[in-house]
Amino acid sequence: MTITGTRSARMTPVLAQAFATYLRPFALPDTRFYLGGAVGIDSHALLWLAEHTDSSLIVVAPSTMADQPAEARDAVDRAAEAGRLTNVVELGAPRLGTAAYHARNRWMVDRSGLVIGFPAGTARTSGTWYTLDYAAERGMPHVVVPVDSSEGGVLKP
């Protein structure tokens, strides 16, 4: 399962409840979650899943984890220290940019049976919408959980 979402989200009780509602039902011991290793939803979902589930957690970086923001690296380190990180996949893109992030997202979706996206807004220009649309083009089930970035990244009630 691929989890994707806005980088602007903050961890709030509303977001934690959304994870409980939309992620927990799929978080079986044999489930593999693919997360992009970025700030926002990627990091928050990683830490929530590490604390609340026994599923496999796989972080996928477009280049290396060293290229990811400090906050994202910290989340990955915390999940690893807790013994909850199954794997870190570094795809080795020679240059970070839209093409590298889209390649990472396609890599995750191609290994998944379901995508859950937490996009901010409806403009289909974000990486989250790119990933959801990629899943839809392949006929893959996907769930959209809107995030209101005007409220500091909290989910709409």
Side-chain angles (χ1 to χ4, degrees):
M1 173 179 309
T2 293
I3 307 301
T4 184
T6 179
R7 293 181 183 169
S8 66
R10 292 181 294 117
M11 191 59 178
T12 65
V14 174
L15 183 56
Q17 183 57 50
F19 289 158
T21 300
Y22 295 100
L23 302 184
R24 188 186 311 269
F26 301 104
L28 304 172
D30 61 343
T31 301
R32 287 185 315 268
F33 284 95
Y34 293 98
L35 303 112
V39 297
I41 292 296
D42 290 358
S43 293
H44 299 318
L46 172 64
L47 293 174
W48 188 90
L49 288 163
E51 182 177 345
H52 297 282
T53 76
D54 293 325
S55 297
S56 296
L57 307 176
I58 302 158
V59 172
V60 184
S63 182
T64 67
M65 279 309 299
D67 295 320
Q68 296 298 93
E71 180 183 337
R73 290 192 316 266
D74 180 59
V76 171
D77 290 346
R78 289 171 51 197
E81 289 167 4
R84 292 292 298 116
L85 193 61
T86 304
N87 197 11
V88 174
V89 177
E90 297 177 315
L91 296 177
R95 189 171 71 91
L96 288 179
T98 301
Y101 290 108
H102 286 179
R104 182 226 23 221
N105 294 349
R106 290 190 306 270
W107 190 96
M108 294 189 303
V109 170
D110 290 344
R111 287 153 180 79
S112 298
L114 173 68
V115 174
I116 300 180
F118 296 84
T122 57
R124 290 195 132 44
T125 57
S126 71
T128 303
W129 279 111
Y130 174 87
T131 307
L132 288 163
D133 289 342
Y134 181 78
E137 289 167 7
R138 276 139 192 78
M140 181 180 293
H142 54 284
V143 176
V144 178
V145 183
V147 174
D148 184 352
S149 60
S150 68
E151 294 295 323
V154 298
L155 288 162
K156 294 179 181 178

